[in-house]
Each structure stands twice: as structure tokens, then as C-alpha cells.
Amino acid sequence: MLGLIFAVKLKPTDNYLIPINDEPMIRILESRLRQAKRIEDVITLVKKGQEKKYSLHVEKVKPVKGRTIIDVLLEGLPSGGDIFLIKGNMPLVMPFFVNYMSTIFIEESPDALIPKWKDGRIELFHAIYNARALRNALEGMKAEGEKNIGNLPRYLDAEYLCVDELLGRNEKLMWSFFAIRGSEDLRIVLKSGII
């Protein structure tokens, strides 16, 4: 399985290099993905022109030109295999949870395994996908003029994993879904002692 990190700056506020204890969060994320048993390799998608900057912090970068999430993913997806897709601002991903998800994914064989909260929120960027199925879904969205990536599950045969139930068994799992978008989020992480 390929770990695919989405670190493409599409908005001015996107920053995937925020340092946590002097280490860019993208490097922490890559390291945590490599600790998962079924992640064989990790590639980081970056905006074309940013590859040198990111290659200082992660092993493999793939520059993309896309201006939307859908275009970036279509350009950056491998031709086949399974991928664990995650946003570059979620550095606290739990390797044990990636292992757990990959076991369910292999047993069930859906197009996607997507974590879902009780309130209906889905974690499209903390999910496992069959690369071909994801590509077909994204192409279908593009053909129909659908621009909201949140509607992706309508185009896939997806299974869902209830996050709230799993949190009842292990509260630390919450950090796996914590996105660092700025200094306030960083303060929360540093204060927690999780890293």
C-alpha cells in the first residue's frame, strides 16, 4: 500500500511545513506513515515549483499542476494498487490505526474505507482507496461538473468506519484526525504532550 500525502498549497493559508519541536510536520507525518506495517512507500504531492523545498524534508515528492483537489488527485494518483490518502497537516496519524484500517480494507475489499463521525462528517483525507476506483470516481465527478470533493463517496462503493466507537476504546485516536492549520492548533498539540 502506498501512503499518499496531499501537501499541495491550494489556498494562501495552506502550510504543511509548520515546525513541531523544530521538525516540519510533513516529516513527522511521513515518518508515522512509514511505521505502519502495510505502507510500503510514501509519496508527497506538492505544487509544481515547490519540489526542492519539500524534498529537504521528505523522501519522495511528486509535483503536480492541478488547481483543484480533484485535478491534483487525478494527476498524482498511481495507476493501480491501494493508497492511504492523508492531508499533510495531519502529522499525528496513528500507525496502529492505519494498520487496523488496512486489515479491514483487505478483508472487505471495498473501493474505499472512510472514517465517519456520528454527526455524519467523513474523513476523505484519512482514508484508504483502491487507486483505480478513486480515479474512476474523480473522473466521473469531473465529467458531471461536480466540484465539491465532499461528494466523492457518491461515486464510490465505500465502506465506513465509525470513529466515535473507536474513540471509546482508545482516546488517543482523536489525534490521528487533528489537523494543524495554524499557531493555535500547534499550541494545542504542544500543550497535550502527544509529541
Side-chain angles (χ1 to χ4, degrees):
M1 184 176 295
L2 177 70
L4 192 63
I5 301 172
F6 187 98
V8 179
K9 187 174 174 122
L10 295 176
K11 297 182 282 188
T13 55
D14 291 339
N15 183 357
Y16 303 105
L17 297 173
I18 294 173
I20 302 174
N21 294 334
D22 298 324
E23 193 167 3
M25 66 177 166
I26 196 88
R27 181 181 295 161
I28 295 168
L29 172 56
E30 181 188 54
S31 173
R32 284 177 171 250
L33 284 178
R34 290 187 184 284
Q35 291 172 32
K37 292 176 185 173
R38 288 198 176 94
I39 300 290
E40 297 161 6
D41 201 5
V42 179
I43 294 176
T44 303
L45 301 179
V46 300
K47 194 78 166 164
K48 187 153 179 66
Q50 300 274 303
E51 51 269 47
K52 285 184 182 178
K53 182 182 196 179
Y54 279 86
S55 65
L56 296 171
H57 308 295
V58 292
E59 285 185 33
K60 294 182 179 177
V61 297
K62 182 173 184 178
V64 292
K65 298 178 202 168
R67 294 177 185 229
T68 68
I69 292 173
I70 293 171
D71 288 339
V72 165
L73 289 174
L74 281 170
E75 190 178 343
L77 280 175
S79 58
D82 299 323
I83 61 166
F84 181 83
L85 178 64
I86 189 162
K87 268 233 175 145
N89 63 355
M90 300 173 88
L92 304 177
V93 63
M94 300 292 175
F96 72 85
F97 187 57
V98 176
N99 292 339
Y100 178 72
M101 286 183 66
S102 63
T103 299
I104 293 171
F105 185 81
I106 289 168
E107 289 173 1
E108 302 291 325
S109 299
D111 288 346
L113 180 62
I114 304 170
K116 186 175 187 176
W117 299 87
K118 278 185 186 173
D119 64 10
R121 287 177 296 138
I122 54 176
E123 299 285 349
L124 294 176
F125 283 95
H126 197 297
I128 299 177
Y129 299 91
N130 172 279
R132 281 193 191 106
L134 180 55
R135 179 175 299 283
N136 290 341
L138 293 166
E139 286 171 349
M141 290 176 77
K142 199 163 178 178
E144 292 183 13
E146 177 62 67
K147 294 179 180 168
N148 182 358
I149 194 68
N151 290 325
L152 176 63
R154 294 181 189 169
Y155 295 81
L156 287 165
D157 175 23
E159 296 279 330
Y160 296 95
L161 194 57
C162 182
V163 176
D164 301 271
E165 289 174 14
L166 296 169
L167 280 174
R169 292 186 227 157
N170 187 338
E171 289 181 8
K172 284 187 175 182
L173 183 60
M174 176 200 74
W175 294 108
S176 200
F177 298 96
F178 192 81
I180 299 175
R181 294 180 181 92
S183 58
E184 184 56 36
D185 294 331
L186 183 58
R187 270 194 288 280
I188 291 168
V189 167
L190 294 173
K191 189 176 178 183
S192 76
I194 193 78
I195 217 165

